[in-house]
Amino acid sequence: MIPLLGIPPQVLFGQLLLGLINGAFYAMLSLGLAVIFGLLNIINFAHGALYMMGAFAAWLMLDHLGIGYWPALILSPLLIGAFGVILEKTFLHRIYKLDHLYGLLLTFGLALIIEGLFRNYYGVSGQAYDAVPDLLKGGNNLGFMFLPTYRGWVVVASLIICFGTWFAIERTKLGSYLRAATENPKLVQAFGINVPRMITLTYGFGVALAAMAGVLAAPIYHVSPLMGSDIIIVVFAVVVIGGMGSIVGAVISGFGLGIIEGMTKVFYPEASNTVIFVVMAIVLLVKPAGLFGKAA
Amino acid sequence: MRLQGISALLAATALASGFAMTASAETIKLGVLNDQSGVYTDLSGPGGVDAVRMAVEDAGGAINGNKIEVVSADHQNKPDVGTSIARQWYDQDHVDAIFDVPNSGVALAVQEVAREKHKIVMFSGPASSDLTGAKCSPTGVHWTYDTYGLAKGTGAAVTKSGGDSWFFLTADYAFGQALERDTAAVVQANGGKVLGEVRTPLGSPDFSSFLLQAQSSKAKIIGLANAGGDTVTSIKQAAEFGITSGGQKLAGLLVFLSDVNSLGLKTAQGLELTESFYWDLNDETRAFSKRFFERNKKEPTMVQAGLYGAAKHYLEAVKATGSTDSDKVMAAMQANPINDFMTKNGQLRKDGKAVRDMYLFEVKKPEESKGAWDYYKLIRQIPAAEVTRPLADGGCPLVKG
Amino acid sequence: MSSVHIPSAAVAPGSNGNLAKVGVAALFVLALVAPFGLYPIFLMKALCFALFAAAFNLLLGYGGLLSFGHAAFFGGAAYIAAHTVKVWGFPPELGIIAGTAFAALLGVVFGWLAIRRQGIYFAMVTLALSQMLYFVALEAKFTHGEDGIQAVPRGHFLGFLDLGDTYSMYYFVLAICVLAFWLIYRTIHSPFGQVLKAIRENEPRAISLGYRVDQYKLLAFTLSAALAGLAGSTKAIVFQLASLTDVDWRMSGQVVLMTLVGGVGTVFGPVVGAFILVTMENYLAEFGSWVTVIQGAIFVVCVLTFRKGVVGEIAALVRRGKGEQPSEGGGHH
């Protein structure tokens, strides 16, 4: 093949594809954050920790109960989502009357506790999760690179999840209640809809999304207590860029920034970790509310 | 352990903010400073602390009626945490010698504190050969292995068997850089070429983009100048992206038994590696490892085994001199040969390097393994002279003086 | 509104003015004799963090702006101070000035970007910007990756006072901190500080009164960044080390916690909070990651039930003892 700008195409396409895969995780995580922020107005700092718990739940199910990948992909989000419901009932719902900043501080504290407890019991070195089903094993030679089937599956799964969530919120009746409650909770309550329960379930759903991303990540990365805090700050930047609370913004900027990060790895690898934050600074200058956000 | 913790907490609260807890002057105190929660926990960590405890127990728990005490702490792989604990131990808690300190970055920082306080530090976990080179100290001992020995072991073996072009994945701190430098020198000395390198942050979850760079370099050998969790992740992902099946070979420049255990033989088979200890070498190593296994439920790594030897050698010197004075103890440790289950007629040099044989191993295929922890087959024992940097080459200022 | 509410009685000395003066004098005497009873390195660490927390509190407690990225100023300045002293051979006082100046400059840039948003958005933007600096520190050559800049010489203050001596170093640090605290105190009680409080309480009103709110905020942000940088550079000289820990986002979290525990918007709160947390960290070091769990638990407890912090609660008790109306703290408005 012909080199492009002095870069062999297999390197360029390879890094772009890897960027897309990373972007799939950014999108799923920022999607959950956006759903939670939309209704609760809380930036869920514990999101990374819950993502990590999702991966751990899958690993524990395999290790102790022999439950495989496909059931874990459903069970783990349910379990961690239920845990999220408990968190909301015991902690978060006490502070809705306070300033939203307290929500950030509270979830930050929760993240520290969860991460610390897992570090105590499992160390940091991580556990291998070897339960990739045969269907997703192996890989394909795409000519420019060898793509493991599982990584391809991650992108597909992420797209399905993102579209499904968008559809549920923007195109269904339940979603319309949700959006209405975001705009005017008192009015929706007056129509006889149980808004507090809706808030609780929304938080649980956002958490379940994080957990599902965790299960998808488990076979690729080591299941480690630190896996959440490694990724969460980047996801925060993604959310700021997309516009906080915007579902479409979260998904598009998630994938988009993954690709931008991959490109940077080709042309200027040293900057690949900083590029997302540079993009954020530029977006803030041009559109302070983010690409898809409503003006504050 | 927990009870001890609670009482320490109570004492802390009572004292409010840090009055010196004066230990009785007669206690001999050994401090084990290592990683107890990070990527190097499995290879040293609590097991390393226990190895020092075993040496203390074998010394009878006391020397000339003076009780021996072991304290430990987690440096979290952060130089600032490590140095402040080391300072406090030496200044305030009357710790006589510090042991282990895996992570070369932290080790080099602790070496400076020990030099300033003129106290003994015995490194088992860190690898950088700078500890006995340019940064050597009259009170610093590098006990178990170093990057020079690893390069001479694995680097030379791989290059000689046809792997004559290399690309390095290097952990971006003192250790990785030293290992890359020492290995590159060995590769070139044996007629090989280095095609490039990429520096990776410690504890990266994803090595795929680095591996892709290594792959496009077309080098025959991808040298992993990293350790612990980083090595495990990069080996696994290299398999995932078909790099190893595409004809390129990985060389794990520092692989511990605990890494092989967490990789599993299926992924790790065929890997060549250099270590100074393996539990299943001979009757003596098996006897020690059996005791260690009963207490810790895993076989010891070379770092943990080395810690036992270092503590033993230190305590013998204290006993011989009847003192914990750093100069006297160092002199005695250098004068006496090192003899324990892993070292025969070893010697502690003036620059602080413990001179001993090392071993080149190959990881067994799953079908060759007879059970849990049966991982290595010995390729050859490398004599000390071959894996130890000549005294004059290290650039240690102590040598000239 | 998106600011954290501060009980206003805890801010102004008010009827407790004399008590506060006596308290300050007692603290100062205590600080002078402390190194003879306590471990000086520990004291210096606590002092640096107390200054860091006080600088942070200037922004949160008096400006109502929660920055989740103050580690950038603390750690960035530490790197600059360490580099100028070690590599360029600056004397320690010049190194500290260089670090502080860098932090101030960084404060102008970050502040200019961040004050476009408020409340929770502001927190996120500062967090992301500081993470950008973290990655720069990780990649740049002069910061030496995971190792950090090690073995920074302490040197001689003004060419004659040997800071290698622990006690000289201690009094040097103490002098810096006392000066900085004085500056913070003056700022709070200056007209500038009053306007800042007005903005915090009711921003639209402050605008309608003709104040150029953005300029006030940016100035407060820059001042806070510079003082955080002063704390960071001093720490780098004391510990002879600048490392990634100083620029990590967990450091930003720590300073929030210190201020929260001690009492947001109180003069002594951050100092008390810093001493509590540094003490805890020192004695719990052997428990490894339990420290994280405990810190997290303190965060949760503080947010749920203890929003005034130690000093805030004590101030409230004192007022109650005098029969004054207890003030409702940390409420929604």
Side-chain angles (χ1 to χ4, degrees):
Chain A
M1 283 193 251
I2 315 142
L4 200 74
L5 300 169
I7 308 279
Q10 55 266 50
V11 176
L12 182 67
F13 292 135
Q15 297 289 11
L16 279 181
L17 195 56
L18 287 179
L20 192 69
I21 295 163
N22 281 338
F25 286 108
Y26 296 159
M28 276 185 286
L29 287 172
S30 56
L31 176 68
L33 278 177
V35 169
I36 292 173
F37 185 81
L39 193 57
L40 281 75
N41 259 312
I42 279 180
I43 282 292
N44 187 27
F45 217 118
H47 215 67
L50 294 160
Y51 157 79
M52 176 269 286
M53 282 180 79
F56 258 98
W59 177 76
L60 287 169
M61 282 180 202
L62 178 72
D63 208 52
H64 293 288
L65 306 170
I67 296 176
Y69 178 81
W70 295 114
L73 195 57
I74 306 297
L75 286 177
S76 166
L78 283 178
L79 198 71
I80 306 301
F83 176 72
V85 166
I86 296 171
L87 281 186
E88 200 277 339
K89 284 274 185 202
T90 37
F91 297 108
L92 288 175
H93 97 133
R94 291 163 189 268
I95 57 161
Y96 292 143
K97 289 205 181 77
L98 302 179
D99 192 284
H100 303 317
L101 282 174
Y102 283 114
L104 181 74
L105 297 177
L106 181 70
T107 48
F108 179 71
L110 291 174
L112 289 181
I113 296 176
I114 296 171
E115 194 186 293
L117 286 175
F118 274 82
R119 278 176 63 172
N120 271 316
Y121 288 107
Y122 300 104
V124 180
S125 42
Q127 318 284 342
Y129 180 75
D130 295 316
V132 179
D134 289 338
L135 180 66
L136 301 176
K137 276 191 179 139
N140 300 298
N141 199 336
L142 304 180
F144 57 91
M145 80 176 281
F146 179 88
L147 176 69
T149 311
Y150 188 83
R151 301 227 178 197
W153 154 246
V154 166
V155 177
V156 173
S158 170
L159 284 171
I160 294 172
I161 291 166
C162 290
F163 178 78
T165 307
W166 172 82
F167 188 83
I169 289 177
E170 301 288 335
R171 292 286 182 272
T172 65
K173 191 151 194 186
L174 186 69
S176 65
Y177 291 154
L178 205 70
R179 279 177 289 134
T182 312
E183 293 293 327
N184 194 339
K186 278 195 187 123
L187 194 67
V188 176
Q189 180 91 40
F191 283 128
I193 291 162
N194 188 342
V195 172
R197 183 189 293 160
M198 202 146 126
I199 289 178
T200 308
L201 290 178
T202 303
Y203 187 76
F205 177 69
V207 168
L209 280 177
M212 193 172 265
V215 182
L216 285 171
I220 301 186
Y221 308 134
H222 254 193
V223 179
S224 137
L226 293 184
M227 63 192 283
S229 56
D230 288 338
I231 196 171
I232 192 67
I233 311 283
V234 176
V235 173
F236 279 170
V238 171
V239 173
V240 171
I241 293 169
M244 267 187 269
S246 159
I247 289 175
V248 176
V251 175
I252 292 182
S253 55
F255 279 104
L257 286 161
I259 291 172
I260 289 177
E261 207 180 36
M263 291 260 273
T264 322
K265 276 186 179 140
V266 180
F267 293 106
Y268 191 54
E270 287 80 8
S272 61
N273 286 317
T274 22
V275 70
I276 287 186
F277 303 104
V278 175
V279 171
M280 186 197 75
I282 295 168
V283 168
L284 276 175
L285 283 178
V286 182
K287 282 196 80 168
L291 293 178
F292 298 84
K294 287 166 261 173
Chain B
M1 178 69 194
R2 185 134 318 159
L3 201 67
Q4 201 186 332
I6 291 165
S7 61
L9 188 69
L10 287 176
T13 343
L15 290 167
S17 50
F19 280 96
M21 279 189 259
T22 42
S24 62
E26 297 88 46
T27 315
I28 299 162
K29 231 177 185 180
L30 312 183
V32 184
L33 179 59
N34 63 16
D35 182 359
Q36 311 209 351
S37 56
V39 284
Y40 303 141
T41 309
D42 288 345
L43 63 91
S44 69
V49 180
D50 194 53
V52 172
R53 288 224 169 85
M54 284 169 74
V56 170
E57 284 163 25
D58 290 353
I63 291 175
N64 305 330
N66 299 326
K67 212 171 145 277
I68 312 168
E69 202 184 311
V70 178
V71 293
S72 68
D74 181 3
H75 63 42
Q76 300 167 32
N77 289 314
K78 290 175 185 160
D80 59 328
V81 177
T83 47
S84 59
I85 293 169
R87 261 207 191 93
Q88 191 171 342
W89 273 0
Y90 286 143
D91 278 353
Q92 209 189 353
D93 300 343
H94 306 280
V95 167
D96 295 296
I98 290 179
F99 290 83
D100 204 3
V101 207
N103 184 324
S104 299
V106 183
L108 287 163
V110 169
Q111 174 99 311
E112 294 309 315
V113 176
R115 185 203 309 278
E116 186 191 318
K117 310 284 175 198
H118 205 70
K119 292 278 191 178
I120 289 176
V121 54
M122 299 185 81
F123 301 108
S124 183
S128 172
S129 57
D130 292 346
L131 285 166
T132 55
K135 303 278 172 63
C136 73
S137 148
T139 54
V141 173
H142 199 181
W143 188 264
T144 307
Y145 71 102
D146 69 2
T147 49
Y148 185 91
L150 297 171
K152 280 287 191 178
T154 317
V158 172
T159 314
K160 277 178 197 157
S161 60
D164 55 3
S165 62
W166 287 60
F167 187 94
F168 288 103
L169 289 195
T170 306
D172 189 14
Y173 70 107
F175 148 71
Q177 289 151 15
L179 187 52
E180 181 197 313
R181 178 196 65 207
D182 289 353
T183 311
V186 169
V187 168
Q188 279 151 1
N190 285 289
K193 276 195 312 251
V194 176
L195 300 180
E197 91 283 320
V198 57
R199 301 273 161 94
T200 69
L202 184 65
S204 292
D206 194 7
F207 278 78
S208 48
S209 70
F210 308 124
L211 286 164
L212 219 61
Q213 274 172 268
Q215 189 178 30
S216 59
S217 77
K218 305 271 194 298
K220 284 185 194 160
I221 305 292
I222 300 173
L224 304 176
N226 49 24
D230 283 351
T231 311
V232 173
T233 312
S234 40
I235 293 177
K236 266 184 66 171
Q237 292 182 344
E240 188 193 348
F241 279 89
I243 286 175
T244 24
S245 51
Q248 282 174 308
K249 271 179 116 174
L250 296 180
L253 298 170
L254 176 51
V255 179
F256 293 94
L257 189 70
S258 49
D259 301 333
V260 174
N261 186 49
S262 99
L263 278 167
L265 290 182
K266 200 167 157 274
T267 318
Q269 58 181 310
L271 211 59
E272 285 186 2
L273 51 96
T274 307
E275 294 215 54
S276 59
F277 169 84
Y278 175 52
W279 68 273
D280 201 10
L281 271 178
N282 55 49
D283 288 342
E284 277 182 90
T285 57
R286 279 187 287 271
F288 169 80
S289 304
K290 189 159 175 281
R291 279 179 63 205
F292 185 89
F293 191 90
E294 276 159 12
R295 301 163 64 121
N296 295 286
K297 303 294 163 236
K298 45 183 145 188
E299 297 293 351
T301 62
M302 67 167 157
V303 171
Q304 290 158 342
L307 276 170
Y308 176 93
K312 175 172 178 278
H313 198 61
Y314 173 82
L315 292 173
E316 282 169 0
V318 170
K319 190 168 187 176
T321 55
S323 155
T324 53
D325 177 80
S326 300
D327 292 329
K328 286 184 190 158
V329 174
M330 278 303 284
M333 285 202 293
Q334 284 168 357
N336 301 331
I338 305 166
N339 271 306
D340 56 43
F341 60 85
M342 71 183 272
T343 312
K344 294 287 163 259
N345 283 319
Q347 177 219 338
L348 185 58
R349 271 192 333 202
K350 202 165 174 50
D351 60 353
K353 175 84 186 91
V355 181
R356 63 155 52 78
D357 292 356
M358 292 190 75
Y359 307 89
L360 185 65
F361 297 106
E362 189 186 304
V363 177
K364 289 183 173 174
K365 295 192 180 72
E367 59 270 22
E368 292 171 325
S369 169
K370 286 196 281 290
W373 297 99
D374 181 21
Y375 295 153
Y376 294 176
K377 56 185 173 206
L378 179 65
I379 297 183
R380 92 184 174 101
Q381 179 164 0
I382 317 172
E386 211 177 300
V387 284
T388 314
R389 182 172 54 198
L391 202 51
D393 295 358
C396 169
L398 293 170
V399 174
K400 290 154 209 152
Chain C
M1 280 312 291
S2 50
S3 66
V4 173
H5 180 82
I6 315 302
S8 52
V11 175
S15 59
N16 298 328
N18 284 329
L19 202 66
K21 271 179 198 152
V22 174
V24 170
L27 264 183
F28 186 65
V29 173
L30 202 66
L32 282 179
V33 298
F36 299 100
L38 295 166
Y39 181 46
I41 303 268
F42 163 81
L43 284 172
M44 288 189 262
K45 184 176 180 189
L47 275 175
C48 290
F49 276 106
L51 176 55
F52 184 25
F56 170 80
N57 185 41
L58 186 64
L59 195 60
L60 174 62
Y62 301 95
L65 295 167
L66 173 66
S67 155
F68 225 100
H70 255 47
F73 312 120
F74 184 76
Y79 273 120
I80 297 299
H83 184 75
T84 51
V85 168
K86 186 179 176 182
V87 181
W88 295 356
F90 277 26
E93 66 277 5
L94 259 184
I96 290 175
I97 290 171
T100 311
F102 172 77
L105 207 67
L106 202 63
V108 173
V109 178
F110 282 16
W112 182 65
L113 279 167
I115 58 169
R116 288 155 187 268
R117 307 306 313 265
Q118 286 171 339
I120 204 153
Y121 301 86
F122 178 85
M124 303 272 290
V125 172
T126 47
L127 174 61
L129 287 171
S130 87
Q131 198 63 7
M132 181 160 96
L133 189 86
Y134 172 86
F135 283 118
V136 171
L138 191 66
E139 293 288 341
K141 284 283 161 279
F142 83 96
T143 53
H144 298 285
E146 302 280 343
D147 302 333
I149 305 179
Q150 300 185 351
V152 177
R154 280 185 183 168
H156 291 71
F157 174 55
L158 296 178
F160 67 89
L161 185 65
D162 181 8
L163 295 181
D165 175 65
T166 308
Y167 289 100
S168 314
M169 188 75 227
Y170 175 77
Y171 289 112
F172 177 67
V173 173
L174 185 63
I176 288 177
C177 287
V178 168
L179 275 175
F181 285 133
W182 178 78
L183 180 69
I184 292 172
Y185 185 82
R186 294 300 308 217
T187 308
I188 295 167
H189 294 94
S190 68
F192 170 73
Q194 301 299 330
V195 176
L196 221 51
K197 268 178 255 171
I199 296 172
R200 185 194 72 206
E201 296 299 333
N202 194 337
E203 185 166 335
R205 188 149 163 218
I207 296 172
S208 68
L209 286 173
Y211 288 112
R212 303 173 83 169
V213 168
D214 278 356
Q215 286 186 3
Y216 277 92
K217 280 187 181 172
L218 183 57
L219 191 57
F221 194 94
T222 308
L223 185 62
S224 173
L227 287 168
L230 178 63
S233 336
T234 311
K235 181 181 172 262
I237 304 291
V238 171
F239 285 93
Q240 304 173 277
L241 181 77
S243 72
L244 288 175
T245 316
D246 302 336
V247 282
D248 194 271
W249 59 271
R250 290 173 187 85
M251 181 64 84
S252 300
Q254 277 234 326
V255 75
V256 179
L257 183 56
M258 285 172 185
T259 312
L260 202 61
V261 167
V264 176
T266 61
V267 177
F268 296 114
V271 180
V272 172
F275 270 82
I276 291 175
L277 279 173
V278 172
T279 306
M280 209 179 80
E281 202 176 73
N282 248 30
Y283 286 103
L284 297 183
E286 64 176 294
F287 300 105
S289 34
W290 282 111
V291 178
T292 325
V293 179
I294 294 167
Q295 284 187 349
I298 295 178
F299 246 113
V300 171
V301 170
C302 278
V303 170
L304 289 182
T305 62
F306 198 64
R307 282 183 291 273
K308 279 180 250 173
V310 174
V311 172
E313 294 287 349
I314 291 175
L317 268 181
V318 169
R319 272 196 305 281
R320 225 169 289 156
K322 287 185 177 173
E324 290 171 30
Q325 196 72 12
S327 77
E328 183 56 46
H332 170 71
H333 58 117

